[in-house]
Amino acid sequence: MITTVQVELGPRSYTIHIAPGAIERTGAILQPLLPGGRVLVISDATVAKLHGKRLLGALQSAGIDAVQETFPAGESSKSLTQADSLWQACAKHRIDRSGAVIGFGGGVSGDLAGYVAACWMRGVAFVQVPTTLLAMVDSAVGGKTGVNSAAGKNLVGAFHQPRAVIIDPDLLRSMDDREYRAGLAEVLKYGIIRDPEFLAWQESKAGALATRDAATVAHAVAVSCRIKAQYVAEDEFEHGARAQLNYGHTFGHALERETRYTTYLHGEAVGIGMRMAADLGARLGVLTEPDLGKRQDELLRRYGLPLVHVAAGSAAGPAADPAAVARVLAGHCSLDKKVRKSRARFVIPVKTGEVVLREVADPALVEAAFLSAIASR
Ligand code: GLY
């Protein structure tokens, strides 16, 4: 059975198709949606090796003229240099305005391929076929595309909505365990920010989710996509409500930056960041549900995610002072993308299913929130 979720964006509306084995149906789903020209599938070399033939076969058997280009796996490929190589590939394969690009892979592939599609010939049709949990529940939906630059992560990009998102949860079986668990942080996020029922469901299914029970995972993906689709429909260009999706992210980005993107997977940093955001909510007197933090902690634990940032000293020196680390991390927040008029904005929980955006002027409060989830080694 195929589950569909509609992203309502007027003439740019599209459907998210979710079903075990959906990859085999990609050609049949896309055939009526694409302009009819050649399709370029973009994926990293690992995904191409694992699943590339199946996707190309499914496209070709529906009569779609499809070719594939790969790039080296890893965040460093999300660059203008890599995008330029792919634009050259577009030229080599004669992708014109009747053509299309498919981003096939995790967040890096989707963001990079989407940006390539957004700019090539000033925009060609684009499709997302995500292969990681994080991409299925978050980055493949909503049209954010882009690359990293010397100016920072995710600062260069374009909104370019896909014509369709095709999700085959069976592909998650081959995913690295740590990466899979990191994706569960975003699933938890949706329960906290928007849907108390989904949070309670996760509490009853955490074991099955952590061990990737197929039906449980498919349900979690569908509900997450439904929530993400609501935010995107409400606020496509993130002028307001969509920013709520950044719950835990301002803290998480500071942790990622401070550890030079080498210690945490994005979801892991976001998980710790959600704890810090709940702490900040309590300090500000905004959080009205004392239980929320405990429930969040318990699910993070059951998903096998880290609960604290360990402030490690150098091999030669003593362990770092957590208060000093918190001060440095709070400093990073004023440089985060969500900063307006130099005041950091945080997504703060009010109660399960409700969050607010708050500017926090007092750096001591932010430091204290960081400190609440920092341990010294
Ligand atoms: N990942 C957050 C958003 O798409 O808005």
Side-chain angles (χ1 to χ4, degrees):
M1 206 191 68
I2 201 151
T3 303
T4 58
V5 175
Q6 195 64 11
V7 184
E8 298 288 356
L9 288 169
R12 282 168 293 105
S13 297
Y14 55 95
T15 304
I16 306 167
H17 306 257
I18 306 158
I23 191 169
E24 309 292 352
R25 305 192 212 175
T26 310
I29 294 169
L30 295 183
Q31 210 278 334
L33 297 177
L34 295 181
R38 180 170 284 172
V39 170
L40 177 64
V41 177
I42 295 178
S43 58
D44 72 38
T46 312
V47 167
K49 201 166 158 200
L50 277 172
H51 312 294
K53 269 200 191 121
R54 280 175 73 204
L55 181 64
L56 277 203
L59 293 166
Q60 285 157 355
S61 65
I64 295 174
D65 174 15
V67 291
Q68 187 175 28
E69 280 291 332
T70 63
F71 62 86
E75 184 78 23
S76 60
S77 284
K78 222 175 102 172
S79 66
L80 266 184
T81 312
Q82 190 57 61
D84 191 37
S85 301
L86 292 165
W87 287 318
Q88 289 174 45
C90 287
K92 179 182 85 185
H93 292 297
R94 302 187 186 287
I95 304 295
D96 60 19
R97 285 231 171 81
S98 70
V101 169
I102 298 182
F104 183 40
V108 170
S109 299
D111 286 10
L112 175 64
Y115 189 62
V116 167
C119 300
W120 182 246
M121 305 228 159
R122 300 191 176 81
V124 294
F126 177 52
V127 172
Q128 289 268 23
V129 184
T131 61
T132 65
L133 183 59
L134 182 94
M136 290 179 188
V137 300
D138 182 18
S139 58
V141 176
K144 281 189 181 174
T145 74
V147 294
N148 301 323
S149 82
K153 258 191 102 171
N154 287 332
L155 291 176
V156 175
F159 284 97
H160 189 57
Q161 297 293 345
R163 298 277 173 103
V165 181
I166 299 173
I167 298 180
D168 183 346
D170 280 354
L171 299 182
L172 297 176
R173 283 206 211 118
S174 57
M175 240 192 115
D176 168 75
D177 197 51
R178 187 177 160 204
E179 281 213 38
Y180 172 78
R181 288 170 185 273
L184 288 175
E186 301 280 356
V187 175
L188 167 57
K189 177 191 80 177
Y190 289 118
I192 300 280
I193 67 171
R194 186 87 165 207
D195 191 336
E197 219 176 278
F198 188 37
L199 187 72
W201 177 85
Q202 289 185 53
E203 287 169 330
S204 70
K205 300 283 184 188
L209 267 179
T211 54
R212 306 188 208 186
D213 170 73
T216 312
V217 174
H219 181 77
V221 169
V223 177
S224 300
C225 284
R226 210 169 290 138
I227 296 171
K228 174 99 193 233
Q230 286 166 4
Y231 276 107
V232 173
E234 236 168 83
D235 178 24
E236 182 180 6
F237 300 111
E238 199 172 313
H239 296 306
R242 184 168 177 170
Q244 291 182 6
L245 293 168
N246 297 320
Y247 177 54
H249 284 58
T250 306
F251 289 105
H253 286 157
L255 290 170
E256 287 182 280
R257 204 189 124 151
E258 180 56 19
T259 53
R260 297 189 177 78
Y261 304 96
T262 55
T263 305
Y264 297 114
L265 298 174
H266 176 66
E268 292 171 338
V270 167
I272 299 171
M274 295 195 305
R275 299 191 71 222
M276 293 165 168
D279 179 85
L280 184 58
R283 278 174 208 283
L284 291 168
V286 170
L287 178 62
T288 59
E289 208 176 82
D291 241 21
L292 181 142
K294 272 189 228 136
R295 294 174 74 190
Q296 184 171 266
D297 288 359
E298 185 55 22
L299 274 172
L300 288 169
R301 199 171 292 122
R302 292 176 74 190
Y303 290 159
L305 288 161
L307 287 138
V308 290
H309 169 56
V310 179
S314 72
D321 169 21
V325 173
R327 208 167 307 124
V328 172
L329 287 163
H332 291 330
C333 290
S334 56
L335 296 171
D336 191 84
K337 215 172 14 152
K338 280 95 205 167
V339 168
R340 286 222 172 144
K341 294 181 197 143
S342 82
R343 276 193 189 160
R345 288 196 312 159
F346 295 88
V347 182
I348 311 281
V350 178
K351 58 184 183 185
T352 314
E354 188 182 330
V355 289
V356 286
L357 249 88
R358 276 288 162 90
E359 285 185 357
V360 179
D362 181 358
L365 282 176
V366 178
E367 275 176 45
F370 271 110
L371 196 53
S372 74
I374 297 179
S376 57
R377 188 157 62 186

